[in-house]
Amino acid sequence: MTDSTVAAIHEAPPQGVFVITGGGSGLLSRLLSVPGASATVLEASVPYASQALTDYLGAAPEQWCSAVTARRLAMQAFSRARALGGEFGFAVTASLATNRPKRGDHRAYLAYQDATATRVWTLALEKGTRARAEEEDLVAGHALAALAFSLGISPAPDLPCEEALGDSGLAELMRGERRVVAGRRFDAVLPGAFNPLHEGHRAMRVHAAGRLGRPVAYELCVANVDKPPLDYLDINPRLAQFQPDEVVVTNAPTFVEKARALGGAVTFVVGADTITRIAEPRYYGGRARRDAALAELKDVGCAFLVYGRLDDDGAFRTLADLSLPPALAALCEGVGVAEFRNDVSSTALRMG
């Protein structure tokens, strides 16, 4: 990639945030060495230490250098870019030659995220054939090509690529222009990550609809208080598990935000593990904010239908077994074990 390509990137309207870890910092050097970089680069971060990377993601990744980690970094960078008025996030995570032997392959993953697209490229490097500086130069060149392609400037790099696109409604959700995408309004929802959707979810939804006397939708949230936001490579396969008229998609990670997005008086169908987390002040920034959120949920007429779940110790717990703040307990109705029990979990299914 020549300086003219970098100049064309700077002339393109989108601005973004960049995050580099493990290698590939030459991308930043190339962007910043050509005049006009402020038209492209809003911010750049290099979370090199493991704790720095964990802090940036909000949780330790399963693998430090992987396509998934690159995507999570790009999504975090996109979220930061939106806060700064920008349009995209770009990430590089690499494992390159160093001053000690490495057991794994030398490789890099390049990820781009904006409101309409998720892309991640894989660059495999032949171990032992290049010095660190040569590997860095190769990664930077491919990263620049991936960025130029994503901005509509040049052809795609000749690398394996995973790509997923979002429709206009999801793009508006990603940009924060709307909080919910749904084919119809529901006043009862079963929130979850649905990774994957399983028979336990389906049975609980059917039972809750009968108990409440009205339809219950699945609610998939693209943001989460515990995990990095979902991108389109996460969202699209999960949505494919549902019929279009049985799922709502939100960008509302807390239950008070869900209530606002869904129009007020909503019954949330949840497990005992979820209702326990709702009580934790750390998700609100303190006890006072938690209590204010619970008061708002009460004021708008929200309620929780709580199903029993196995806890980490293997004990099946229902609402009757929990100690909740009185303000939250007053919003809850429990389903007893004799009425419903299904121990299938997405985590167990993923683990095989």
Side-chain angles (χ1 to χ4, degrees), residues 161-184:
C161 179
E162 288 184 274
E163 179 185 62
L165 306 177
D167 62 26
S168 60
L170 291 175
E172 290 173 359
L173 197 77
M174 286 284 195
R175 285 193 289 261
E177 296 168 358
R178 61 194 297 180
R179 300 301 303 275
V180 61
V181 176
R184 52 169 289 191

Side-chain angles (χ1 to χ4, degrees), residues 95 101-107 127:
S95 179
K102 283 190 174 180
R103 287 178 294 178
D105 295 331
H106 294 186
R107 62 202 186 279
K127 195 171 181 178

